[in-house]
Amino acid sequence: MNRRLSLFNVTSLVLGFAFLYLPILLLMIYSFNASRLVTVWGGFSTQWYGALFRNQALMEAAWVTLRIALLSASMATVLGTLAALALTRYGRFTGRTLFTGMIYAPMVMPEVITGLSLLLFFVAIDLDRGFWTVTLAHTTLTMCFVTVVVQSRLMTFDRSLEEAAMDLGAPPLRTFFAVTLPLIAPSIVAGFLLAFTLSLDDLVIASFNTGPGATTLPIKIYSQVRLGLSPEINAASTILIGLVTIGVISATLISKRSVMRSQRNAH
Amino acid sequence: MKEHSLTKRLSSALVPAVPYLWLGVFFLVPFLIVLKISLSDTAVAQPPYRPVFEWSDIAAFFSGLDLENFALLAEDDLYLRATLSSVRIAAISTVLLLLVGFPIAYGMARAPERHRSLLVALVILPFWTSFLIRIYAWIAILKPEGLLTQALMGLGLTSDPIEILNTEWAVYIGIVYAYLPFMVLPLYATLEKMDDTLLEAALDLGSTPWRSFWTITVPLAMPGIIAGSLLCFIPAVGEFVIPDLLGGSETLMIGRQLWSEFFSNRDWPLASAVAILLLIILVIPIVIYRDVEARRVETRP
């Protein structure tokens, strides 16, 4: 049957997407507001962008956040891919139930619990709070998301390709790097990007585990928001949203092109 | 040859061992520490609780544990009220999310196939932009002299500023807004696979659209409804940022209580006890979620 959109379907889509996008759009528009008051339009201006780049503390926080996100996402990608392989390729190994529990729990667990428990752990082993504790905490949280993304790709994976390579005499490690890895690469990249944005975005876990010199951008933004709205934050948000949008669109285009290429090769 | 198979076995054992160990150290052990500290006393020191463990004195370790912090939680009805209010707010938000999310997911599933991946991308895109920023955006809208009031006044619908910010309503709006992708995507995944011929058959046999919705669409979408609801309900119970920025001082939520015990009162043992309490409330939904999710991933074609 040909699915047809009813008026109800169209209305709910339009309203739903308006709800999702209007607040972000308003925020972006008001970042170009000349007035200091965030909700009163005072003409077009880009002054807040200038003020933003002169704000040393904010720039420093952005740099710390970026480094933590890159490092923790890289570690999470390796750990998450291994965990996904373990879950799909190792059958029922001992402690599998505990393992899946530890993979799924951090994703839904309230962040306050994860943040507090990791902090108490770092204090117990006497590790100074700062850059590294936030990085380790983010790695632990985001590796679970990488696992789920890579795992769902491995589930639909055609194993006969691996078997063919092994039959032709390739050792397992070589088979993995020559056959498996290239095939699951898009999901690994997707997992990395997800881990990266989650780390960029995290306020709660970072707040618990941060220390001197490791103030991340969300922590900085949060403390400013509590003091009141500021057009500088609007400008910073607009830049972040712009970067993320460009990133997501290019990632979609790349994966679309690779799908098309593999389809072409298949024919 | 034998050596080869030994290295092979060793390297293949590493694959599960490395992530397993990592999660054991950074996820499981921290929990045990929270449990331990929730049972110990506050000390005016740095860190503000008694030492965690000394191997030399196991008897003292156990005798030092007590339920004082939990007794305090039970005595002070602030925590009971915060718990109940968190569960209530999370439950109402989940119902609202279903009401808002279902029509969107349904519309997406019925859209022409060539547009569907774009629609999915459009639902996911806001999720990639900062959570904090998305909540922040609502402050400007909901403020008494904010954009919503301005818009409604401009339309002549109201002459007084609307008081939404710093009420529970703002928290509902914030949660629905921030969690919507988590509800829409699992719903869409099940609705998209739905066999339309069933609906056609029901209509041919004289069922009303409303009735076939409840007897066919809803039961078939149940896995998505359960997954989406748990995915929203569990983190909503422990939510901190949304009630803190939108809810004002009146909105009681347990995640916020934990935060203030930790950061403002510096009572780490009590904060740990609150964390354990929160975990006890959530353990059943988390276990159900894990089973639903593991089954969903493993049965995927």
Side-chain angles (χ1 to χ4, degrees):
Chain A
M1 168 187 162
N2 230 339
R3 291 186 179 186
R4 275 209 344 267
L5 280 169
S6 67
L7 187 64
F8 173 73
N9 293 146
V10 175
T11 321
S12 48
L13 282 177
V14 170
L15 287 178
F17 284 108
F19 176 62
L20 277 175
Y21 283 92
L22 218 53
I24 303 178
L25 224 58
L26 286 171
L27 176 99
M28 294 170 88
I29 292 170
Y30 275 83
S31 75
F32 295 102
N33 189 359
S35 161
R36 176 136 212 114
L37 294 165
V38 174
T39 51
V40 181
W41 185 253
F44 179 86
S45 154
T46 53
Q47 56 167 318
W48 304 115
Y49 288 86
L52 178 69
F53 287 105
R54 285 188 299 274
N55 187 334
Q56 203 66 46
L58 218 55
M59 286 291 115
E60 219 160 88
W63 176 232
V64 169
T65 314
L66 207 60
R67 280 186 306 158
I68 290 177
L70 270 177
L71 201 59
S72 67
S74 309
M75 296 199 291
T77 305
V78 174
L79 287 164
T81 306
L82 289 177
L85 285 167
L87 284 176
T88 44
R89 295 294 163 81
Y90 283 73
R92 310 231 134 254
F93 56 88
T94 1
R96 190 189 156 100
T97 316
L98 178 66
F99 192 60
T100 54
M102 291 196 296
I103 293 288
Y104 287 110
M107 291 193 287
V108 281
M109 191 85 77
E111 288 168 318
V112 281
I113 301 186
T114 318
L116 177 74
S117 63
L118 275 163
L119 161 81
L120 295 176
F121 170 72
F122 292 135
V123 171
I125 62 167
D126 215 11
L127 191 65
D128 281 337
R129 279 188 279 159
F131 180 85
W132 282 103
T133 47
V134 179
T135 307
L136 289 172
H138 280 179
T139 305
T140 310
L141 175 76
T142 56
M143 70 169 278
C144 304
F145 289 88
V146 178
T147 307
V148 172
V149 172
V150 177
Q151 188 191 6
S152 63
R153 174 72 187 100
L154 281 168
M155 289 283 175
T156 57
F157 184 85
D158 183 5
R159 293 202 67 176
S160 58
L161 292 166
E162 280 178 346
E163 280 155 18
M166 304 265 241
D167 284 347
L168 294 170
L173 215 56
R174 173 127 187 247
T175 309
F176 176 75
F177 283 107
V179 179
T180 318
L181 199 58
L183 282 171
I184 62 171
S187 70
I188 294 179
V189 173
F192 174 85
L193 287 175
L194 182 59
F196 184 77
T197 27
L198 284 169
S199 169
L200 276 189
D201 198 21
D202 168 67
L203 165 72
V204 175
I205 293 174
S207 299
F208 275 101
N209 291 290
T210 191
T215 304
T216 65
L217 200 55
I219 297 178
K220 192 88 202 144
I221 292 178
Y222 173 70
S223 62
Q224 287 205 5
V225 170
R226 297 212 67 184
L227 299 176
L229 303 177
S230 100
E232 256 175 58
I233 298 292
N234 280 24
S237 311
T238 306
I239 292 175
L240 275 180
I241 293 168
L243 287 177
V244 167
T245 311
I246 293 168
V248 170
I249 290 173
S250 45
T252 318
L253 288 180
I254 290 168
S255 74
K256 206 167 218 173
R257 199 160 347 129
S258 79
V259 167
M260 267 155 63
R261 199 182 310 135
S262 66
Q263 273 172 353
R264 233 193 350 256
N265 288 347
H267 289 311
Chain B
M1 190 63 216
K2 196 166 183 210
E3 208 173 284
H4 180 78
S5 80
L6 185 68
T7 49
K8 197 171 104 186
R9 269 170 54 196
L10 272 179
S11 68
S12 74
L14 273 178
V15 172
V18 172
Y20 209 131
L21 263 175
W22 182 283
L23 286 173
V25 170
F26 290 105
F27 187 71
L28 205 57
V29 173
F31 265 126
L32 301 177
I33 295 177
V34 173
L35 187 62
K36 157 69 181 72
I37 289 172
S38 72
L39 298 171
S40 53
D41 301 324
T42 326
V44 187
Q46 188 63 269
Y49 63 91
R50 294 266 175 80
V52 173
F53 198 75
E54 269 152 40
W55 289 102
S56 53
D57 203 355
I58 287 180
F61 168 76
F62 282 108
S63 67
L65 299 180
D66 55 49
L67 292 170
E68 230 171 68
N69 295 306
F70 290 95
L72 196 65
L73 289 190
E75 256 167 49
D76 193 340
D77 81 323
L78 173 70
Y79 299 97
L80 180 69
R81 280 187 294 132
T83 307
L84 291 178
S85 145
S86 298
V87 172
R88 182 175 52 85
I89 289 174
I92 294 176
S93 307
T94 307
V95 173
L96 291 173
L97 273 158
L98 265 174
L99 291 176
V100 176
F102 206 101
I104 299 175
Y106 196 62
M108 285 166 65
R110 300 193 72 81
E113 200 151 356
R114 60 181 190 286
H115 294 319
R116 277 188 221 155
S117 59
L118 176 70
L119 291 172
V120 171
L122 281 174
V123 171
I124 298 174
L125 189 60
F127 165 76
W128 291 86
T129 65
S130 169
F131 176 74
L132 191 58
I133 291 173
R134 282 181 289 144
I135 297 306
Y136 167 80
W138 278 99
I139 301 179
I141 297 171
L142 299 177
K143 265 169 41 137
E145 67 282 14
L147 302 174
L148 182 66
T149 301
Q150 287 177 25
L152 290 179
M153 278 175 160
L155 292 171
L157 291 172
T158 176
S159 51
D160 301 313
I162 329 168
E163 301 279 343
I164 295 184
L165 192 66
N166 299 335
T167 67
E168 234 167 63
W169 278 103
V171 179
Y172 294 135
I173 293 173
I175 294 180
V176 170
Y177 182 67
Y179 290 11
L180 197 56
F182 297 115
M183 182 60 92
V184 170
L185 293 177
L187 284 176
Y188 167 75
T190 50
L191 287 172
E192 201 230 345
K193 281 184 302 202
M194 208 177 90
D195 187 359
D196 278 339
T197 51
L198 291 171
L199 280 180
E200 257 177 276
L203 288 175
D204 285 349
L205 293 172
S207 167
T208 59
W210 183 243
R211 187 161 164 218
S212 35
F213 173 77
W214 282 107
T215 50
I216 297 170
T217 312
V218 171
L220 282 175
M222 215 26 119
I225 294 175
I226 294 171
S229 300
L230 289 170
L231 208 51
C232 294
F233 177 79
I234 301 168
V237 173
E239 186 54 58
F240 163 75
V241 180
I242 297 173
D244 194 61
L245 290 181
L246 301 179
S249 52
E250 298 285 286
T251 308
L252 265 184
M253 282 190 85
I254 190 102
R256 226 176 150 191
Q257 217 56 46
L258 192 159
W259 182 281
S260 70
E261 289 306 340
F262 183 85
F263 285 102
S264 316
N265 303 342
R266 291 193 60 77
D267 191 339
W268 292 17
L270 195 60
S272 304
V274 175
I276 298 291
L277 175 70
L278 181 52
L279 205 60
I280 291 170
I281 304 168
L282 293 180
V283 79
I284 294 170
I286 287 177
V287 168
I288 300 175
Y289 172 74
R290 194 208 64 185
D291 288 348
V292 169
E293 209 44 25
R295 216 177 309 141
R296 199 170 67 91
V297 171
E298 268 158 35
T299 57
R300 200 176 288 174

